[in-house]
Amino acid sequence: MSLIRRSNVFDPFSLDLWDPFDGFPFGSGSGSLFPRANSDAAAFAGARIDWKETPEAHVFKADLPGLKKEEVKVEVEDGNVLQISGERSKEHEEKTDKWHRVERSSGKFLRRFRLPDNTKPEQIKASMENGVLTVTVPKEEPKKPDVKSIQVTG
């Protein structure tokens, strides 16, 4: 069984947690077949991304704090699937380091979005500023119906 004790009464992140399934193969503990949601890989795997549509474009914004633009990949697959991926490395540890808390996640992430038919994937632009990736996918102008005037005789 897993019991984590408070190290400081005034620490708002300290809780007494007991996992009754710790050690069972179907539970959420360290010996589980299903890793905890707060494991390194799982925590960063779900990078948070907003997707909004404006009259001119589809705009994706991803919070990627601590990542450099070189560590992020934006790709278009099969002409209509936007793929955003990257990896945050673990911090280098010295043998003399004593960790008190590890809450920042590390690992790989990959998110995919099927783009609507009204997009121009060849004109996608991406920028990164202050840890926020912005991907802009321009929309095609709505096609106006071709109207051909027919002269009426008779």
Side-chain angles (χ1 to χ4, degrees):
M1 287 187 228
S2 169
L3 182 62
I4 301 170
R5 293 273 178 211
R6 288 182 210 182
S7 59
N8 182 343
V9 176
F10 300 106
D11 183 355
F13 296 105
S14 291
L15 297 173
D16 287 329
L17 299 175
W18 174 64
D19 184 357
F21 299 111
D22 189 30
F24 289 112
F26 57 82
S28 59
S30 57
S32 169
L33 295 175
F34 308 104
R36 291 182 179 203
N38 65 353
S39 72
D40 287 347
F44 199 50
R48 307 282 186 196
I49 298 179
D50 295 339
W51 175 2
K52 74 175 178 180
E53 182 176 356
T54 68
E56 300 81 30
H58 292 273
V59 181
F60 297 83
K61 288 194 176 213
D63 288 339
L64 304 172
L67 286 182
K68 299 175 189 143
K69 65 181 184 178
E70 297 82 20
E71 297 171 319
V72 177
K73 234 193 261 188
V74 178
E75 301 170 310
V76 177
E77 190 176 274
D78 296 329
N80 69 338
V81 177
L82 176 67
Q83 182 170 296
I84 301 171
S85 61
E87 182 173 6
R88 179 180 294 138
S89 304
K90 273 192 168 185
E91 201 168 301
H92 177 69
E93 287 185 39
E94 296 293 329
K95 291 193 186 263
T96 58
D97 291 347
K98 178 181 177 184
W99 290 88
H100 292 278
R101 179 174 314 279
V102 178
E103 293 182 353
R104 297 182 323 149
S105 55
S106 61
K108 294 180 182 183
F109 70 93
L110 170 69
R111 297 293 305 272
R112 300 175 68 172
F113 302 91
R114 185 170 308 282
L115 297 173
D117 291 336
N118 67 342
T119 59
K120 298 179 185 178
E122 65 281 350
Q123 295 180 11
I124 293 176
K125 291 187 169 55
S127 64
M128 187 125 165
E129 187 175 335
N130 296 328
V132 178
L133 173 69
T134 303
V135 180
T136 305
V137 184
K139 291 168 58 175
E140 291 179 344
E141 306 236 351
K143 293 180 183 176
K144 296 180 183 176
D146 287 339
V147 178
K148 183 178 177 184
S149 198
I150 308 294
Q151 187 174 16
V152 179
T153 60

